[in-house]
């Protein structure tokens, strides 16, 4: 088996006339967290469902852990874990019943299945909720039992479809810890997210997808670099000087300068860090007092905007909670 | 939320040890996985016992209603009508309960649990077979309710215990096979409600245009012809015969053949749809 955990070429799937995935090429190395970032309807779930052998591609091919997802579906299924976007355990059953059920299906004997379920519940901080019906779990607990259910047999690769959508920051952190733990144990993780900071924090590499196509691919640093050196943020002592400051900055930086929501602040996307220092000098020469002057890497939000022409989180997400 | 902060802090360590401890046991066979899915159905009954309402209340309602509403008019006395009707009601109750299979399956598909089952390396039909096995428990409960009620009201099966047990066994077989029609429907239709609606549309003519409630000889000729090809009619004839102490061998053959046909047609269709779902 090569070093690639996932390799797809021209993966395509339409529903009726809706192209959900329109030719996706991915190359995911083993042992990394790979983030697939895209807004609602971008085709993330459809892609994962094809990779997890739940959906036949219309065209293109995909190899997961070296196996063809169509021809060797069974081999793929026995090596990967899937945590779907929505309920992926039986809500009527208790946490422990769900895990024992899965362990039995995967070949554990009854006593071993019980032990494995108890160990998993412990590790996921769900021991006290073991005998409660999953429908009575909180959102964070639900997500953890969903993930635990994919780890009954430690998979070589796990798909997590929007593992943190709708979670509060604390639960989100717990899921992040789980993801980091899995990679540390050598499992490859492919996760989808609509949250830029999540991709930024967790993923070694990111594919940005939009309308069923990969619009950019790389590490978060590379994606940011592809958009420019970074953003310059300037805050003035006197808001009335903003127009003049804008003119000065635009002259030195030779890029367009945007007024921020803050009436005393300005920002600009710069490509040449050289000019940034000169612009500061130029501002003071013009008698403009600066209280803040910061050069930051562009956020993934800005990256997304630059790549797709629209913001990443423009659509409401209530329905995905 | 009841994960304490200490649990949270220890989670990564515990997680890593639980991950590295994961074994890869030998893959279980189709019988084992089907039984495990059957067990899931039983656990669901245990947690949501309300779902047995249709299995118990519906047959009771029908038996009482038809016996006392129509008994006098149709057979001269309620007692005589009960003797005629009860085997038919038993069949109707079971056949109606089969519809639940499709509705449950559709609900599973809608909420995503089936994605997980389909992503497991198990014999592919086992979630469906398991669900149907779990339903056998529902049929048995429904049958027991009808028979006990009948006995209380004065129904006397000449065929004795053996006749009754054989009837129920045959009913279970037929119901199991008929369920594949509903599993197929539930993979085609989008919502549990539409599955229920379409099932009703099939079920009503199937059970009423039969010999469950009246002797077909009172019907016009063309309708007798329809009744004659309705598999429910043959099933009712068999159950009536067995409970009455006779063994209608030819009719039993008819029922077994139609059972096999139902699975042979709708089983593979269901599996094709199941594999390509969405
Ligand atoms: N079963 C289906 N039938 C018809 N259209 C579908 C189906 N599944 C997805 N689609 C359509 O395909 C497109 C991609 O959907 P997909 O669920 O893959 O997006 P997503 O990136 O997962 O979005 P979200 O962030 O909302 O989960 C959407 O336009 C969606 O409406
Ligand atoms: Mg999705």
């Amino acid at each position: 088996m090569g070093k690639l955990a996932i390799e797809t070429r021209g993966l395509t799937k339409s529903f009726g006339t809706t192209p959900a995935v329109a030719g996706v090429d991915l190359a995911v190395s083993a042992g990394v967290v790979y983030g697939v970032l895209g807004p609602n309807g971008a085709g993330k779930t459809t892609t994962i469902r094809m990779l997890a052998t739940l959906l036949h591609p219309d065209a293109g091919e995909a190899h997961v852990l070296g196996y063809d997802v169509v021809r060797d579906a069974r081999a793929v299924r026995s090596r990967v874990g899937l945590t779907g976007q929505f309920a992926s355990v039986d809500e009527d059953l208790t946490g422990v019943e769900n895990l024992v059920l899965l362990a039995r299906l995967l070949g554990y004997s009854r006593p071993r299945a019980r032990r494995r379920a108890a160990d998993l519940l412990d590790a996921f901080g769900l021991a006290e909720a073991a005998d409660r019906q999953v429908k009575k779990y909180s959102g964070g607990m639900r997500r953890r039992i969903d993930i635990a259910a994919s780890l009954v047999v430690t998979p070589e690769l796990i798909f997590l479809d929007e593992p943190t959508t709708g979670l509060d920051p604390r639960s989100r952190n717990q899921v992040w810890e789980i993801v980091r733990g899995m990679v540390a144990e050598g499992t490859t993780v492919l996760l989808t997210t609509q949250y830029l900071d999540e991709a930024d924090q967790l993923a070694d590499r990111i594919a940005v997808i939009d309308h069923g196509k990969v619009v950019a691919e790389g590490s978060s640093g590379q994606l940011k670099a592809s958009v420019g050196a970074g953003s310059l943020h300037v805050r003035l002592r006197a808001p009335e000087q903003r127009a003049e400051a804008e003119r000065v900055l635009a002259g030195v930086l030779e890029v367009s300068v945007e007024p921020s929501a803050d009436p005393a602040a300005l920002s600009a996307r710069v490509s040449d860090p050289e000019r940034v220092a000169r612009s500061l000098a130029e501002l003071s020469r013009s008698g403009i007092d600066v209280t803040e002057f910061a050069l930051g890497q562009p956020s993934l939000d800005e990256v997304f905007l630059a790549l797709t022409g629209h913001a990443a989180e423009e659509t409401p997400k209530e329905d995905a909670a | 939320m009841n994960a304490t902060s200490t649990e949270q802090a220890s989670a990564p360590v515990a997680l890593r040890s639980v991950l590295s401890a994961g074994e890869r046991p030998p893959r279980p066979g189709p019988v084992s996985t089907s039984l495990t899915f059957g067990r899931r159905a039983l656990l669901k009954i245990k947690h949501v016992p309300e779902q047995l309402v249709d299995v118990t209340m519906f047959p009771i309602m029908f038996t009482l209603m038809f016996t006392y509403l129509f008994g006098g008019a149709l057979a001269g006395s309620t007692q005589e009508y009960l003797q005629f009707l009860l085997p038919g009601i038993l069949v109707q109750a079971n056949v109606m309960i089969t519809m639940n299979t499709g509705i449950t399956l559709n609900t599973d598909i809608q909420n995503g649990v089936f994605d997980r089952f389909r992503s497991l390396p198990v014999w592919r039909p086992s979630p469906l077979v398991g669900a149907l096995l779990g339903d056998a428990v529902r049929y048995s409960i429904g049958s027991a309710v009808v028979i006990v009620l009948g006995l209380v009201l004065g129904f006397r099966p000449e065929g004795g215990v053996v006749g009754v047990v054989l009837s129920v066994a045959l009913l279970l077989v037929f119901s199991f096979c008929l369920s594949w029609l509903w599993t197929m429907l539930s993979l085609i239709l989008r919502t549990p409600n539409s599955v229920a609606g379409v099932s009703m549309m099939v079920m009503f003519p199937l059970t009423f245009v039969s010999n469950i409630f009246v002797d077909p000889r009172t019907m016009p000729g063309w309708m007798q012809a329809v009744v004659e090809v309705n598999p429910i009619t043959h099933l009712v004839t068999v159950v009536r015969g067995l409970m009455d102490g006779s063994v209608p061998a030819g009719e039993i053959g008819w029922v077994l053949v139609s059972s096999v046909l139902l699975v042979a047609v709708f089983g593979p269709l269901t599996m094709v749809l199941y594999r390509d779902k969405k």
Side-chain angles (χ1 to χ4, degrees):
Chain A
M1 225 171 299
K3 284 184 285 307
L4 285 183
I6 301 174
E7 191 176 14
T8 75
R9 236 164 302 136
L11 205 59
T12 302
K13 181 79 195 178
S14 303
F15 295 104
T17 53
T18 319
V21 173
V24 161
D25 300 332
L26 290 176
V28 178
S29 322
V32 304
V33 180
Y34 195 90
V36 174
L37 173 68
N40 283 130
K44 304 183 293 295
T45 299
T46 308
T47 304
I48 281 199
R49 285 168 56 87
M50 285 191 279
L51 295 178
T53 77
L54 297 180
L55 206 58
H56 278 253
D58 292 340
E61 51 178 314
H63 289 266
V64 170
L65 300 168
Y67 297 95
D68 186 288
V69 294
V70 177
R71 279 193 302 278
D72 300 320
R74 227 188 140 104
V76 174
R77 280 199 288 272
S78 66
R79 285 170 178 79
V80 305
L82 166 71
T83 303
Q85 183 171 0
F86 303 106
S88 67
V89 297
D90 191 327
E91 301 199 309
D92 287 333
L93 305 194
T94 65
V96 70
E97 283 168 350
N98 267 298
L99 296 184
V100 169
L101 174 84
L102 289 167
R104 295 284 289 144
L105 290 172
L106 291 164
Y108 281 80
S109 66
R110 193 173 289 281
R112 278 172 175 277
R114 299 207 154 275
R115 184 139 17 99
R116 181 70 179 159
D119 289 348
L120 279 165
L121 288 165
D122 263 339
F124 281 76
L126 292 167
E128 286 167 57
D131 293 316
R132 212 181 309 157
Q133 276 180 289
V134 170
K135 68 164 77 130
K136 296 181 182 138
Y137 281 22
S138 72
M141 291 160 75
R142 282 229 37 165
R143 231 34 200 140
R144 279 180 279 148
I145 190 87
D146 278 340
I147 297 175
S150 307
L151 301 177
V152 172
V153 165
T154 308
E156 290 171 43
L157 167 73
I158 186 169
F159 297 108
L160 300 174
D161 196 0
E162 299 197 23
T164 65
T165 300
L167 297 190
D168 65 25
R170 184 164 161 279
S171 304
R172 197 199 257 212
N173 264 313
Q174 291 174 340
V175 171
W176 287 3
E177 281 309 312
I178 291 169
V179 171
R180 291 186 180 120
M182 289 191 290
V183 200
E185 279 302 313
T187 298
T188 306
V189 179
L190 182 134
L191 62 84
T192 70
T193 179
Q194 307 181 21
Y195 302 123
L196 303 152
D197 62 323
E198 180 159 280
D200 203 0
Q201 296 263 346
L202 274 185
D204 300 298
R205 286 187 83 79
I206 299 167
V208 182
I209 74 168
D210 193 35
H211 298 301
K213 287 203 175 71
V214 177
V215 294
E217 208 270 348
S219 67
S220 111
Q222 286 170 340
L223 289 183
K224 288 169 175 174
S226 72
V227 175
S231 294
L232 174 66
H233 298 278
V234 181
R235 196 158 186 284
L236 312 174
R237 172 146 302 149
E240 37 318 336
Q241 289 182 314
R242 187 158 81 163
E244 174 162 14
E246 189 176 333
R247 193 181 48 73
V248 170
L249 287 174
V252 183
L253 298 172
E254 291 177 357
V255 294
S256 74
V257 179
E258 307 286 335
S260 309
D262 177 346
L266 293 153
S267 65
R269 198 173 293 150
V270 291
S271 42
D272 178 5
E274 278 294 279
R275 296 172 189 260
V276 173
R278 265 198 280 138
S279 70
L280 182 59
E282 197 60 37
L283 283 175
S284 76
R285 192 168 319 138
S286 314
I288 298 171
D289 271 350
V290 170
T291 58
E292 267 174 49
F293 189 84
L295 179 61
Q297 280 215 314
S299 72
L300 269 173
D301 275 300
E302 290 167 308
V303 173
F304 202 92
L305 186 62
L307 291 172
T308 66
H310 61 84
E313 294 174 59
E314 65 183 358
T315 32
K317 288 189 296 285
E318 283 82 65
D319 59 333
Chain B
M1 295 291 269
N2 61 0
T4 63
S5 51
T6 49
E7 272 175 332
Q8 201 193 329
S10 67
V13 181
L15 174 77
R16 292 187 60 170
S17 73
V18 84
L19 280 173
S20 55
E23 49 184 315
R24 205 167 278 278
R27 188 175 292 160
V31 175
S32 159
T33 51
S34 300
L35 287 175
T36 304
F37 280 110
R39 197 180 141 69
R40 163 176 180 254
L42 297 190
L43 285 171
K44 279 176 94 83
I45 294 179
K46 180 183 117 191
H47 286 295
V48 196
E50 305 89 276
Q51 59 176 298
L52 289 179
V53 167
D54 67 323
V55 174
T56 50
M57 298 316 289
F58 191 73
I60 292 177
M61 211 175 69
F62 262 60
T63 311
L64 293 177
M65 240 169 55
F66 279 93
T67 306
Y68 292 106
L69 270 180
F70 302 136
L74 293 178
S77 82
T78 51
Q79 214 51 45
E80 242 174 81
Y81 187 55
L82 182 67
Q83 202 67 27
F84 172 81
L85 174 70
L86 198 99
I89 286 284
L90 188 62
V91 170
Q92 193 200 24
N94 274 280
V95 165
M96 289 275 179
I97 295 167
T98 61
M99 295 191 320
N100 167 76
T101 310
I103 298 166
T104 313
L105 175 60
N106 198 271
T107 310
D108 272 348
I109 293 169
Q110 296 309 322
N111 69 23
V113 177
F114 254 64
D115 267 4
R116 164 142 354 247
F117 294 158
R118 290 172 61 220
S119 72
L120 293 173
V122 298
W123 182 55
R124 286 223 122 184
S126 45
L128 302 172
V129 173
L132 298 184
L133 289 178
D135 281 339
V137 172
R138 303 163 61 85
Y139 308 140
S140 307
I141 294 173
S143 301
V145 167
V146 172
I147 291 166
V148 168
L149 179 66
L151 291 174
V152 169
L153 296 179
F155 172 71
R156 292 294 171 263
E158 296 292 320
V161 177
V162 176
V164 171
V165 169
L166 279 179
S167 310
V168 173
L170 202 63
L171 269 172
L172 291 187
V173 170
F174 182 81
S175 304
F176 177 87
C177 298
L178 178 64
S179 295
W180 289 97
L181 169 60
W182 311 130
T183 55
M184 183 195 73
L185 265 184
S186 71
L187 289 165
I188 295 173
L189 299 171
R190 277 173 198 277
T191 66
N193 271 343
S194 52
V195 173
V198 174
S199 308
M200 276 305 205
M201 259 166 48
V202 179
M203 265 350 285
F204 263 96
L206 211 57
T207 54
F208 278 87
V209 186
S210 75
N211 58 352
I212 290 184
F213 299 102
V214 292
D215 189 325
R217 273 171 300 181
T218 61
M219 302 174 189
W222 61 269
M223 191 167 246
Q224 284 193 32
V226 177
V227 169
E228 187 48 38
V229 297
N230 183 350
I232 301 292
T233 302
H234 298 275
L235 186 58
V236 172
T237 307
V238 169
V239 173
R240 242 175 223 149
L242 287 172
M243 289 201 163
D244 204 35
S246 60
V247 181
E251 293 286 309
I252 292 180
W254 227 105
V255 169
L256 291 178
V257 167
S258 46
S259 301
V260 169
L261 279 180
L262 281 168
V263 180
V265 174
F266 297 115
L269 281 176
T270 300
M271 287 323 299
V272 167
L273 289 166
Y274 177 70
R275 199 182 54 223
D276 294 340
K277 185 65 192 163
K278 283 193 267 174

